[in-house]
Amino acid sequence: MTDLPGAAALTDAAIFDAEFYAAQLPQRPDDPLAHFLAEGDRAGLDPTPYFSTSAYKQRYPDWQDAGAATAIEDMLTRIGRGEMRQPHPMIDPEFYLSIHPDLSGLGAEAALHFIRHGDAEGRRPSALFDPRFYARRYLLTGEAHAFRHFATVGQAQGFLPRPVPRTAIESRAQMEALLGPLTRPMLFVAHDAQPAGVPILTLDLARHAMQRGFQPVFLLDRGGPLSQRFTAMAPTVILVDGWDLVGLVQALPPELPVLVNSAAAAPLAVRLAPRLRSLVLIHEMPAYLHAQKLIAPLQQARDAGAELVASFDAMAAGLQAELGPMQVIQPGIMLPPLDLANARRTRRRIGRPRALFIGAGHADHRKGFDLFLQAAQALQLELPGARFVWLGNLDQWAGELARDAIAAGLDLHLPGFVEDYTSWYRLADAYLLTSRQDPGPATAVHAAAMGAKVVAYDHDVALKDRIPPHGEIVAAGDLAGYVKACLAGVDEPAIRRRARRRYVRAHSDMGGYFSRLADALARAQAN
């Protein structure tokens, strides 16, 4: 710890963030705190995402009167004396207290509460920043610290700190401007742009639509990390930005073909259905639809004229009592071409373990991440030298489980969401499908398409009837049987992996899937 003046006040990592501070410099100093105290404050650099040195000095020109060595030390000193000070233009302690009555006793320490706790809790720091909007628009599902993300990433990329409300007239004009240059538009509606199955499928369907001469337009309820991929492909409207749905719908011509993907976007389908004939693609399992209260909007969309389409027979059967008979059109898959350079990088990254077992998806309880770890730990006992990979982001619960497992010695790798998943699956001996409830998943089909054996528990998984050609289903709770099935995938003959690849590719064609959807949509529009 440096003994320079002012250092003692900055020992809290929330007050002085060494990593954040160092990122503002061309080269990381040996002692970031010492550098800040000697040079950084004078140069206008910020010690934390929650404090703007230049804004503070401009707002409080008396900042040196109390003898502080730095602007942030002055703020801490003033707060200690009971003076309320604003650390950042978007952190207003008076506003913060006014909308969070449970914090009324904090007084001058309100700003410090937001820095240390409030951002993580999703509290709003001022009228200028809306964390709920920002999370729905830009962050991963479950990701916290919206303000920190804005200060470190979003602001530089032009992300909005709050929605910009538009009137129905403005919204209608925007949609008319987007559709105006298009001669054969097709509207794709989705719930969000998270790095998950449905948004990726929406993008894949739009690519096939373009190959057939359609011009996609995207309407998303929320955003997410894939938002830029949507906007790069086609005109995109994200409702949470402040657009008025009534105005947008008024601009849509009645003959416009519409694909709503999936039931999570059913509330939007309800608003579209009276004006447009659309297909609503249901990829979710009945239990999930009930838990998320999506049955009623699906019924409303159907009654207003939308055509409901289930992905698998099990979904249609489970929903028939409430939604009536519906078409079943099994989704295809779209594998990116195997990039040999990526494949070599992945091989170097993962090394040459005795065996490689992979799971994938947004890791949470529904995906059975705890069951994946349970199987991994049992497999490691049976096969020392095995390595385990989970491709996808982890929620807080899963992250804690993963940290505990790694600390206990599990050889677990967590690359997060990856684009080049084919280079990972081609190295896998088995894909561990541990979902307790899953409408697919496409990741299992992707893995099988690269030759990996799929091993699944007999849970509420839509495609389990189609798994046997790809792998094996084990009774729920039979850990010993599950481990045995996974071990059988190690060192499989190459001929078996090739046969699996051929089977999956022959039965999972994305082009055929889009064609079947387009035909169903044409029939719906003709009725």
Side-chain angles (χ1 to χ4, degrees), residues 363-364 369 373 393-406 412 414:
D364 56 15
F369 185 69
L373 294 178
N393 298 298
L394 282 64
D395 70 7
Q396 183 177 353
W397 169 80
E400 292 172 357
L401 291 180
R403 285 190 291 273
D404 291 344
I406 292 170
L412 176 64
L414 302 167

Side-chain angles (χ1 to χ4, degrees), residues 454-525:
V454 177
V455 182
Y457 278 121
D458 190 9
H459 287 154
D460 189 16
V461 177
L463 56 62
K464 66 182 177 184
D465 294 338
R466 305 174 192 260
I467 285 176
H470 315 327
E472 193 170 343
I473 298 176
V474 179
D478 183 5
L479 177 60
Y482 195 87
V483 169
K484 181 179 178 181
C486 291
L487 291 173
V490 178
D491 299 327
E492 270 191 328
I495 189 172
R496 184 173 296 176
R497 291 179 67 94
R498 286 197 297 269
R500 188 177 291 128
R501 288 198 296 267
R502 286 196 299 268
Y503 180 89
V504 174
R505 291 170 186 265
H507 291 81
S508 305
D509 174 53
M510 179 62 76
Y513 177 50
F514 178 81
S515 295
R516 292 188 292 275
L517 291 177
D519 291 343
L521 185 53
R523 290 193 299 271
Q525 290 183 303

Side-chain angles (χ1 to χ4, degrees), residues 64 68 138 152 170 180 200 263 319 381 430 433 436 468 473 486 517:
Q64 287 181 301
Y138 301 109
T152 58
E170 292 171 323
I200 293 172
L319 294 169
L381 291 175
L433 177 54
R436 291 180 168 88
I473 298 176
C486 291
L517 291 177

